[in-house]
Amino acid sequence: RYRLKWLCVACAVIGSCCRAVVLFAMLLLRAAWCLTLAAVAFCHSPEDSHSAGCRSGKLPLGAKLGQTMTFDGIFGGAKRRWHVHVPLSYKTDVAVPLVMATHGWHDTAKAYEPDSGLSVLSEIHGYIVVYPEAMADHAGAHRESWGGWNVVGSSIGVGPLGPTCYPWADPGVSLCYRSCSPCTQKPHCQWSSCVNDVTPSGVGTSNVTGFLPMLFDDLEEKYCIDRQRLYATGLSNGGMAAYQLGVSMAHRLAAIAPVCGSFMKGFVQAPSIPLPVMDVHGFFDSSVPPNGTATSSDGYFYTEVSSIFDGWRKSNKCHDHGKDVALKHWPTPVDGEKDLYCISEGTSCAAPVVRCGWSGPHGSFAKGLGNGIPNARLVWSFLSQFKSEPVRKAEHTTRSSEKDHASLTVYSKLGSPLPLATGQEAQPEALSATVLATAASEQPLLPAAFAS
């Protein structure tokens, strides 16, 4: 009886110990699981995509909700200008997408804004739009409005396949920008400024320290931006800038939508990683032709869209690049307007390669309907579908990963320097953004017909 009693006691003790061991093991497993979840949450927290501007708690000096404000600054020793539209719905602690919209040659950002329709549509979808001004350092006083982006070989003139224009297209010194002087090339096929807009040469993926990448940096510092939703679009030479940004900043952008854009002959490029792209062209575009020889009516040589997309499908890991390409309808909210039809090229692509055509000439989609909204609906319906890869917090001040990346020195309206971000140093070749709200343009209320 005593033996049985001690046996029961021993079993009870052993059972308690086993339960304790099991409970302790379960607690360890639960703690490990919680730590794993915490680590995942830390690494992939939504806040990782929030820009530094989300911590400011206020609008930047000169910005106004529901309006487009104009800002001036100095980059590379030259005055630059950009316009920023912030929607009425903007909150200083809620990260929003950022769209960069670049105007065409011999145009201005202020004129392109209503043509693009993007500011009006931003009041529905809540994104911020920036409209940079291209450098207009033309030698002729009467041509100071001839702004031109140094991208896709526009400032080089002669490439691997020879000159980028016919000899009879040579305008001589009439298209000589001061930043390109002396203009002695024969034939003279350069037709844009030579300043550093994306890279110093206007092509390639190294030394991405130009005005446009720095402007992305500046806006991220000042506004609450979702860094996984940075987009680029533009018209004509601005569409070429969007293409170049897609190549040079592929690791940073989420998608691009060039309108009437291309690459100069011999300068076609593709991103090093998959990047969604939508090309928009009018069927009757003779200024930057999308098909055939891609030679403009004024004698300049561009690259047909099919050749651009050959490289882009390869970058986007489409399974049938270089073979018979699978085509499929890409639906948009403006299908059928002006005979618009879009197709996606390739099979099982890591990112879509989309081409849109419409019954019209060189210009924004459905230009002539009065308000640019069809163009904005087409562009935003594509861009808004995509996000870039998560951005690590440590990458915030080293996005370009270039040793000579120019730092950003920001000044207040009165010219007194504001504190720089931690770890930044002011460099001589900085974008000294003198934040001057030199002009403001009220945006019209959304048309009732579109709002419905």
Side-chain angles (χ1 to χ4, degrees):
R1 189 174 59 191
Y2 288 109
R3 290 179 180 174
L4 183 60
K5 180 179 179 180
W6 284 109
L7 182 61
C8 291
V9 170
C11 288
V13 171
I14 293 173
S16 298
C17 291
C18 289
R19 284 194 297 273
V21 170
V22 170
L23 181 60
F24 183 69
M26 290 177 63
L27 289 173
L28 285 177
L29 287 173
R30 185 173 181 179
W33 177 247
C34 290
L35 287 173
T36 301
L37 290 177
V40 170
F42 176 79
C43 292
H44 300 287
S45 167
E47 292 186 359
D48 284 357
S49 67
H50 290 193
S51 71
C54 298
R55 298 189 292 271
S56 68
K58 59 182 179 181
L59 272 176
L61 181 65
K64 292 185 179 180
L65 297 182
Q67 296 187 30
T68 299
M69 304 301 292
T70 300
F71 301 87
D72 289 325
I74 303 296
F75 177 76
K79 180 180 177 180
R80 303 303 297 260
R81 173 167 289 183
W82 58 98
H83 313 265
V84 182
H85 182 86
V86 183
L88 279 169
S89 60
Y90 175 75
K91 306 294 183 185
T92 57
D93 59 348
V94 178
V96 300
L98 172 62
V99 179
M100 178 172 285
T102 40
H103 65 79
W105 183 78
H106 196 193
D107 199 359
T108 66
K110 200 166 186 179
Y112 177 51
E113 180 183 13
D115 192 37
S116 73
L118 289 166
S119 292
V120 177
L121 204 67
S122 75
E123 296 299 338
I124 289 179
H125 298 289
Y127 55 82
I128 289 176
V129 198
V130 58
Y131 303 92
E133 295 278 7
M135 194 69 178
D137 59 321
H138 198 277
H142 62 292
R143 293 192 175 107
E144 287 299 325
S145 64
W146 284 22
W149 300 106
N150 176 16
V151 291
V152 305
S154 62
S155 69
I156 299 176
V158 178
L161 302 180
T164 56
C165 71
Y166 281 121
W168 56 261
D170 180 1
V173 295
S174 66
L175 275 185
C176 182
Y177 287 76
R178 285 188 288 268
S179 54
C180 301
S181 295
C183 299
T184 58
Q185 194 179 88
K186 295 294 181 181
H188 179 75
C189 298
Q190 300 164 292
W191 54 269
S192 74
S193 174
C194 291
V195 298
N196 182 1
D197 283 322
V198 180
T199 67
S201 66
V203 297
T205 58
S206 62
N207 200 9
V208 186
T209 57
F211 169 57
L212 298 180
M214 289 296 292
L215 189 53
F216 272 115
D217 290 345
D218 183 47
L219 296 172
E220 287 186 13
E221 291 289 334
K222 292 183 174 69
Y223 299 88
C224 188
I225 302 298
D226 184 345
R227 294 163 65 214
Q228 288 183 255
R229 302 192 69 188
L230 303 180
Y231 307 110
T233 185
L235 173 66
S236 191
N237 181 218
M240 299 175 197
Y243 263 128
Q244 191 63 58
L245 288 169
V247 171
S248 303
M249 298 180 62
H251 289 82
R252 189 168 177 181
L253 298 183
I256 65 169
V259 180
C260 302
S262 186
F263 293 84
M264 301 307 297
K265 181 180 178 181
F267 291 96
V268 64
Q269 306 155 70
S272 59
I273 62 173
L275 181 72
V277 58
M278 181 178 74
D279 179 279
V280 183
H281 263 92
F283 297 142
F284 312 118
D285 187 343
S286 61
S287 296
V288 185
N291 303 313
T293 61
T295 300
S296 68
S297 56
D298 55 354
Y300 288 83
F301 307 146
Y302 296 98
T303 304
E304 63 274 14
V305 177
S306 59
S307 295
I308 297 173
F309 276 13
D310 283 344
W312 221 281
R313 287 196 309 276
K314 184 175 181 180
S315 295
N316 286 7
K317 304 184 186 301
C318 301
H319 288 182
D320 53 1
H321 63 82
K323 304 176 184 178
D324 292 335
V325 179
L327 306 177
K328 185 171 65 173
H329 175 230
W330 182 275
T332 78
V334 287
D335 278 359
E337 291 191 32
K338 294 287 186 176
D339 300 320
L340 177 86
Y341 193 80
C342 299
I343 58 173
S344 64
E345 297 189 3
T347 302
S348 302
C349 301
V353 180
V354 177
R355 181 174 183 176
C356 298
W358 64 286
S359 184
H362 186 76
S364 296
F365 166 61
K367 185 176 181 179
L369 295 186
N371 51 25
I373 290 176
N375 179 80
R377 293 182 67 198
L378 173 61
V379 167
W380 180 247
S381 71
F382 180 79
L383 297 178
S384 61
Q385 298 182 51
F386 307 105
K387 285 187 174 184
S388 62
E389 291 297 315
V391 180
R392 298 291 181 261
K393 294 179 180 180
E395 295 176 352
H396 180 73
T397 57
T398 57
R399 301 295 296 279
S400 298
S401 68
E402 298 288 347
K403 291 186 292 184
D404 54 334
H405 181 73
S407 297
L408 186 65
T409 306
V410 181
Y411 293 89
S412 73
K413 189 172 183 179
L414 298 179
S416 56
L418 299 174
L420 294 172
T422 303
Q424 282 188 306
E425 296 179 2
Q427 300 293 334
E429 292 296 319
L431 172 58
S432 303
T434 307
V435 185
L436 300 175
T438 56
S441 59
E442 296 269 356
Q443 289 302 313
L445 294 176
L446 199 66
F450 181 72
S452 61

